[in-house]
Amino acid sequence: MAKLSEAGALYLKDYYILTEAREEMESYLDKVLLAGYSKLADMVQELTDDTTKWGVWRSQSPMGYMQIGVQVLLGEFGGSRKGRSDMFVAYRDVRHTTRITDPLSVEIGVAVHGQSKLLGQEIERRSLNMFGDNIVGRQYPDLIPESSDESADNVFETIQDVCLKLKEIIDAVAEEN
């Protein structure tokens, strides 16, 4: 015999309004992601050069996750494999992470693939030396409920800042080699 909890009963009582609210929320988050994705597509083309190749990918279904991959084309960088996207900047909204403490924000983070632990350590060390902060980890730019465009601008500015710092680190390593 199945029994509905108190929380389940409350949800069921307001099922239609909660479903409508969820659809509205998902539409809003999709608009933020798509606007940010559009801006990032232009940015990654500008960042691509002889040293690095950048690419942006987003999850189609469900939406809420996007990744900006970086391939180092010249030399060695902290264990990065030449021509492979061992480092990336990831975007996640509440649909793809439980680490967000304020649902009116998204998560932006620099990460490296598991086999590239030395790469992550090298990026951390250099970002602390060059910028005084660690770009590896997570940032949580705010969303503005009244405007998906302003939210997309906030998200884009955060991602752009992280990507420019990452590019500067990679270029510095390339100059040393």
Side-chain angles (χ1 to χ4, degrees):
M1 172 180 189
K3 181 179 177 186
L4 195 56
S5 69
E6 185 177 339
L10 287 171
Y11 185 90
L12 190 55
K13 182 178 179 189
D14 292 326
Y15 180 78
Y16 294 115
I17 193 150
L18 292 171
T19 300
E20 185 178 326
R22 182 182 180 112
E23 289 169 357
E24 182 183 330
M25 175 271 307
E26 287 179 344
S27 174
Y28 171 85
L29 289 174
D30 290 350
K31 287 177 182 172
V32 170
L33 182 126
L34 291 172
Y37 178 82
S38 176
K39 292 177 181 194
L40 289 168
D42 294 335
M43 183 194 76
V44 297
Q45 286 182 346
E46 293 173 16
L47 288 175
T48 296
D49 58 16
D50 294 340
T51 308
T52 56
K53 180 178 179 182
W54 297 70
V56 63
W57 173 87
R58 67 179 170 85
S59 174
Q60 300 283 328
S61 178
M63 292 182 104
Y65 179 77
M66 180 170 44
Q67 182 173 298
I68 300 94
V70 187
Q71 293 178 7
V72 176
L73 302 175
L74 297 175
E76 291 296 316
F77 177 50
S80 177
R81 300 166 296 171
K82 186 176 176 182
R84 301 286 300 264
S85 290
D86 287 331
M87 63 192 104
F88 56 95
V89 178
Y91 162 102
R92 291 177 178 89
D93 64 29
V94 295
R95 296 173 286 182
H96 283 271
T97 183
T98 57
R99 290 183 294 259
I100 296 175
T101 57
D102 178 2
L104 287 175
S105 66
V106 297
E107 178 184 279
I108 308 297
V110 174
V112 297
H113 289 289
Q115 68 270 26
S116 303
K117 184 177 179 182
L118 291 175
L119 176 61
Q121 292 170 346
E122 182 69 8
I123 294 169
E124 280 184 43
R125 186 182 68 74
R126 287 184 179 264
S127 67
L128 286 169
N129 288 340
M130 293 171 72
F131 310 114
D133 65 344
N134 183 5
I135 65 170
V136 175
R138 296 175 188 91
Q139 298 179 41
Y140 299 94
D142 291 331
L143 297 175
I144 300 159
E146 298 80 24
S147 173
S148 61
D149 289 338
E150 286 182 51
S151 294
D153 289 343
N154 274 358
V155 169
F156 173 74
E157 288 170 14
T158 301
I159 294 174
Q160 181 181 38
D161 181 59
V162 170
C163 288
L164 291 172
K165 287 177 178 176
L166 187 55
K167 173 72 172 141
E168 196 172 328
I169 290 169
I170 295 168
D171 287 347
V173 171
E175 286 179 21
E176 292 171 8
N177 293 334

